[in-house]
Amino acid sequence: MTTLDLRSRIVASRQVPLAVMVAAMSALALVCAVGLLVDDRTVLGVSVWLKPLKFAVSFALYGATLAWMLTLPHRGSRWTRIMATVFAVTGIIDVGFIAVQAARGTFSHFNTSDDAVNTIGQYVFMTGVPGLFVANLVIALILLFQRVGDRPLTRAIHAGMFLAVAGMALGYLMGFQGRQTTTDALTLVVLGGLLAATAVAVRTVRSRADAGPQAGPA
């Protein structure tokens, strides 16, 4: 078993809700990718499956990175586990509604129709989106005021959490646009990817630096 395989199993066993969310989002991303190819329905000029695909990818990236970060030793781990569970559950419900609306051939945000499914979904948004933001904010605040790993890794995690919170906060500005757009998830996709890339890059550099002295001269 490789170190990566072992680390993945540790992450999955310690952060079960996030692991379930990542698996669900990965599966949804595959379904949406197929939908892009076989379903020609559109909303606002783009495929109905584009929006849930972007959300699924962003939540899969961010959830996997968050689960990995929370396995690192840190104070307040009980609270970060609770908030991670809140994030995972609300994420699955919110993105699930976006996928349902896509399958129905309509949009999710700014939908004012009075059918039963949409009415329930809008209530889900009103309660779920603040839950996502608050859970992520609490985790960020807990990690922000302590050292998690060495200095470069800690700085990468602090910067990544700041970017993630800022990106989610930007979502609230959607309400001031006054119209539906097709780029709702783009910010979170980019920031989630940056967070994942930053953390993994720092870990890779650190691992190589640690392995160098152990290898010794050839």
Side-chain angles (χ1 to χ4, degrees):
M1 181 183 298
T2 66
T3 302
L4 181 59
D5 292 335
L6 179 60
R7 188 64 182 175
S8 298
R9 292 193 177 188
I10 292 174
V11 170
S13 63
R14 293 184 181 179
Q15 297 295 333
V16 175
L18 284 175
V20 170
M21 186 194 78
V22 170
M25 295 300 163
S26 299
L28 176 60
L30 290 175
V31 171
C32 293
V34 173
L36 286 173
L37 299 175
V38 302
D39 191 346
D40 60 359
R41 292 178 299 164
T42 62
V43 172
L44 300 177
V46 299
S47 171
V48 294
W49 297 105
L50 180 61
K51 186 171 183 175
L53 174 62
K54 292 191 294 182
F55 271 92
V57 171
S58 65
F59 272 80
L61 281 173
Y62 186 72
T65 308
L66 186 61
W68 170 77
M69 287 193 302
L70 295 183
T71 61
L72 300 175
H74 62 277
R75 298 186 303 274
S77 58
R78 177 174 177 269
W79 282 104
T80 57
R81 281 197 302 270
I82 293 174
M83 292 297 103
T85 300
V86 172
F87 186 92
V89 172
T90 53
I92 290 174
I93 295 174
D94 281 10
V95 179
F97 172 67
I98 293 172
V100 167
Q101 291 292 79
R104 298 176 68 221
T106 186
F107 52 89
S108 47
H109 296 84
F110 305 108
N111 192 330
T112 58
S113 62
D114 57 0
D115 66 274
V117 174
N118 184 66
T119 301
I120 295 173
Q122 296 307 317
Y123 178 77
V124 167
F125 273 160
M126 287 189 294
T127 56
V129 173
L132 284 171
F133 179 75
V134 171
N136 196 67
L137 178 62
V138 171
I139 293 173
L141 290 175
I142 291 174
L143 297 180
L144 183 62
F145 296 103
Q146 58 180 297
R147 185 168 179 171
V148 184
D150 56 19
R151 183 174 297 178
L153 182 61
T154 298
R155 288 179 176 176
I157 290 175
H158 289 173
M161 293 304 298
F162 173 80
L163 286 173
V165 170
M168 292 182 186
L170 287 176
Y172 285 99
L173 297 180
M174 288 164 50
F176 296 99
Q177 292 181 345
R179 59 187 177 87
Q180 171 73 296
T181 69
T182 59
T183 57
D184 299 333
L186 184 57
T187 299
L188 188 53
V189 171
V190 174
L191 293 179
L194 286 174
L195 176 57
T198 301
V200 172
V202 170
R203 172 60 73 179
T204 301
V205 172
R206 181 185 176 188
S207 298
R208 289 181 178 176
D210 292 342
Q214 295 176 4

